[in-house]
Amino acid sequence: MPTESSRARSMNETRERILDVALDVLGESPDAGMGDIASAAGVVRRTVYGHFPSRLDLIRTLTERAVTEMTAVLAEATAARAEADATWVEFVARVWPVAHRYRVLLALRRGEYGEAIHSLLGPLDELLADLVKRGQDSDVFAQHLPAGILSQLAYGTVFAIADSDLPDGPRGARAAMITSLLMLGVPEARATALAGDQP
């Protein structure tokens, strides 16, 4: 007979599997419904609704997971306190697989879930704005826009490239690094050199 802890572990594994499958399904078709996700996960709709009472709950949970992962990556990248442009490149290099995995949030952010996703991304947006402000204060990044707006444009570029046909590999990551640095006002030669320093 299963113990309480084994039942809880099994429920948690099912929940995580549903989230992983939901990312894949929504990545292919952002309008996919809960029934599509249940079928792909090999469970009945009731199981999906047992973990996520609505599609909004599912999207919010995916966004929370993405924010947790991306915030951890940004914290690691900023820990070294390198120049802001080098820190940005380090962040993009580390966040690229995460951005590629969660790229569907960009499409969902433009739709009916935009407000919910936007509010959950708030803490990450603030950290990115702080990094860009540090770059502006040291004349590494352009100053023609406020840090909050400039960071959103540059970070949006990373997601846009992740959502493009470029592969989830070094070429796509390098394109995201260079393009986002150019958006931040870093000269092309410096951007290319910084991206070239990444493994």
Side-chain angles (χ1 to χ4, degrees), residues 104-157:
V104 68
L105 294 178
L106 187 68
L108 294 171
R109 193 176 189 176
R110 291 189 291 258
E112 63 183 296
Y113 303 108
E115 194 175 315
I117 292 172
H118 184 73
S119 66
L120 290 169
L121 288 173
L124 178 64
D125 290 345
E126 287 179 26
L127 291 172
L128 287 169
D130 289 346
L131 173 58
V132 170
K133 182 72 170 82
R134 180 158 68 87
Q136 289 177 323
D137 290 346
S138 58
D139 292 323
V140 172
F141 293 151
Q143 300 184 22
H144 64 288
L145 286 170
I149 296 172
L150 192 56
S151 66
Q152 287 305 299
L153 289 170
Y155 192 54
T157 299

